[in-house]
Amino acid sequence: MPEPRSRQLGSCLASGGLPGEQILAWAPGVRKGLEPEIPGTLICSNLRVTFQPRGWQRSQETPLSSEYDFSLANIGRLEAVNGPSRVQLLRPGSLLKFIPEEILIHGQDFRLLRVGFEAGGLEPQAFQVTMAIVQARAQNSPAQQYAGITLSKAGQSSDSRKPPIPLLETTEDWETERKKQAARGWRVSTVNERFDVATSLPRYFWVPNRTLDSEVRRAFGHFHQGRGPRLSWHHPGGSDLLRCGGFYTASDPNKEDIRAVESMLQAGHSDVVLVDTMDELPSLADVQLAHLRLRALCLPDSSVAEDKWLSALEGTRWLDYTRSCLRKASDISVLVTSRVRSVVLQERGDRDFNGLLSSLVQLLSAPEARTLLGFQSLVQREWVAAGHPFLTRLGGSGASEEAPVFLLFLDCVWQLLQQFPAEFEFSEFFLLALHDSVRVPDTLTFLRDTPWERGKQSGQFNNYTQVYTPGFPGAGNSINPQLSVWDWNLRYSNKQILQFCNPGYNPEHCPDSWLPRQQPSFMVPGPPSSVWLFSRGALTPLNQLCPWRDSPSLLAVSSRWLPRPAISSESLADQEWGLPSHWGACPLPPGLLLPGCLGPQIRLWRRCYLRGRPEVQMGLSAPTISGLQEELSHLQELLRKWTPRISPEDHSKKRNPNTILSQSR
């Protein structure tokens, strides 16, 4: 009997699994923590742990399951249980001391897979599959686990298939996006096409029209890791949002290089604001520690008493860091929208919080970024193509620089979705899908640190000789580079994809009804040749842009342009627009959102972080009067904010899961 069953499981995974995947062990069991409990089979392969419900079959169109699969890299904690008091925590390389009646797999994405094993002579299989998971985790390396999904598995043709969104791997993609933003003063630079300027940068990026590629190459050499100033987003009112690494102060640029750097930072504007990105934001170590504390607090066996749980949540500092990011993004949004200027985000490495703030600023300022396709394009451009070190930050490289900055960003987006539910086309379920996709082994989107590594692994650069040729695992693989995390139908059913849409979204907030592309009267021109440093909520005038000539000092300017200290987005808005601090009586610029950042306005993302608690999964939490009142108040608040012009039923009828995520424009 075991052989036919094993062959059946093998053929099931082979028909809809990953290339090179091998079944190591399996055991019949029942998935617990849900109502009703689901009978099926727990399977451990060399890439993942999956629970296959009885009678359920994978399709070739959906080779992975968002609901039943746990990649080995996603397993954060494995526990074996025998009886009410016998629990063993199994680390990679551990030896199981008893035959388990139940195992609990805690995902690093806060999910929980709880499987009870059947009795009746099948106990050895339960022991074998548990030990197989332990051994597979010990042998697994996220940096080497990627196998890829062939296009035949996705039922697609490589000749006719187009990615759901532009992956920004060609000059055509970048030029199309530039025209979409109407950034007429910018062009696509090919100076890094062979990654000989910086391997962490994309092959192409936007630079001012008047800047030659030879000047770009020299100027970028005076910034940390070669990450010089590039355009992130062009505001339709005229401002430009740039990002760059820190100045490499040990360099000795000549006058021509300094002029090139200043020209790129000014981007044709007389008003320039340098933003100290890390000012008032947590360090990478702070983010990592807060996330670890949050995970420990949300585990089912947390030792924190119920009456002290909220204070323990505050003690993690996770909500504080979310609040800090939103407050700073609001300040920068005011800088971008209040005057025609160049706003430059400057972070030493330019690969973490620059991406977070740039993305949040665009979400706050551009309705197009709040659409489903617009948000995916935003993440692809500001995180994936910009070289955020996903593998390192998510703990997959073995380095000590783990810090889930991208997950902090998703929490910030969820906060915005709660405060402005009618402004976003995508739903909380879409954010959860993106949150859970950072550790799946099916695409390279989140499994590499740089565009160069991603392209090297996929075989994208096999058509020409590379300048950088160090060894890289799997460099010879001919994986199709088109498949990405945005191919949602690889892991999600049509029913699940339909839930990605927010039924409360107001279609009139779409980009077509937004601010006209050229409206110079919308913004106030800045003072002539003014240079500012934005730090600690205040604008400080500087006498120069670059640090190589003289040390920065205050510039004597008219009192009209001298800043007043600002400690919040409201007071900065008062400074920039001359508006009263009470925003309710004054209209905001078209399309701009300013979130509330006071204590109760920043909430815990319960649907994400509390998924690992069985009582929450089963919906059996004992209701209390205060809890019901809080839930009722929250629902009433959402009803007040939701003001769609069409009913959710009509809105959902327009959605087709086969086309909802496949149109790139």
Side-chain angles (χ1 to χ4, degrees), residues 91-305:
R91 297 181 173 85
S94 297
L95 180 62
L96 184 59
K97 299 178 181 179
F98 52 82
I99 294 178
E101 296 178 354
E102 180 180 312
I103 65 170
L104 287 83
I105 301 175
H106 298 274
Q108 296 194 58
D109 56 7
F110 293 86
R111 286 190 298 153
L112 171 67
L113 180 61
R114 181 183 173 198
V115 178
F117 297 109
E118 299 179 0
L122 298 178
E123 290 84 357
Q125 287 181 263
F127 184 90
Q128 292 169 5
V129 73
T130 305
M131 282 304 303
I133 297 174
V134 173
Q135 295 167 3
R137 290 182 67 199
Q139 299 170 3
N140 176 261
S141 169
Q144 298 176 346
Q145 72 169 327
Y146 171 72
I149 299 178
T150 62
L151 286 176
S152 60
K153 294 293 182 183
Q156 304 282 354
S157 168
S158 60
D159 295 330
S160 60
R161 185 187 178 280
K162 293 181 64 176
I165 64 165
L167 301 182
L168 299 175
E169 295 172 347
T170 66
T171 54
E172 291 78 9
D173 285 349
W174 284 93
E175 180 63 18
T176 300
E177 183 63 24
R178 185 195 66 81
K179 292 179 178 178
K180 189 176 180 182
Q181 295 188 16
R184 294 180 177 88
W186 298 82
R187 67 175 180 87
V188 179
S189 172
T190 60
V191 69
N192 196 46
E193 191 167 29
R194 293 177 178 268
F195 294 102
D196 53 344
V197 172
T199 56
S200 64
L201 284 175
R203 298 172 69 188
Y204 314 105
F205 43 78
W206 297 312
V207 297
N209 277 334
R210 297 182 179 180
T211 306
L212 302 176
D213 276 353
S214 58
E215 295 175 314
V216 173
R217 183 183 296 274
R218 294 199 311 270
F220 275 41
H222 302 296
F223 288 84
H224 185 67
Q225 295 184 359
R227 297 180 66 89
R230 298 102 52 215
L231 176 68
S232 282
W233 177 58
H234 175 74
H235 190 281
S239 285
D240 290 308
L241 180 66
L242 286 69
R243 58 184 292 182
C244 66
F247 293 118
Y248 183 44
T249 55
S251 65
D252 186 20
N254 56 37
K255 293 181 179 180
E256 289 74 17
D257 291 351
I258 292 178
R259 278 197 293 266
V261 170
E262 291 178 339
S263 176
M264 297 182 71
L265 292 172
Q266 288 174 333
H269 298 277
S270 61
D271 191 14
V272 184
V273 178
L274 293 178
V275 178
D276 184 358
T277 295
M278 292 308 298
D279 174 59
E280 298 183 303
L281 291 186
S283 66
L284 294 176
D286 291 336
V287 174
Q288 172 65 2
L289 180 59
H291 194 257
L292 289 175
R293 288 173 173 172
L294 180 66
R295 285 190 55 220
L297 181 64
C298 294
L299 285 174
D301 59 353
S302 174
S303 59
V304 178

Side-chain angles (χ1 to χ4, degrees), residues 607-623:
R607 198 184 294 273
C608 178
Y609 302 139
L610 296 181
R611 288 181 290 174
R613 289 181 173 251
E615 67 273 15
V616 174
Q617 285 192 347
M618 296 178 64
L620 297 181
S621 299

Side-chain angles (χ1 to χ4, degrees), residues 343-355:
V343 179
V344 185
L345 303 179
Q346 191 166 37
E347 177 191 19
R348 184 174 186 273
D350 181 39
R351 300 177 66 186
D352 293 293
F353 286 95
N354 265 5

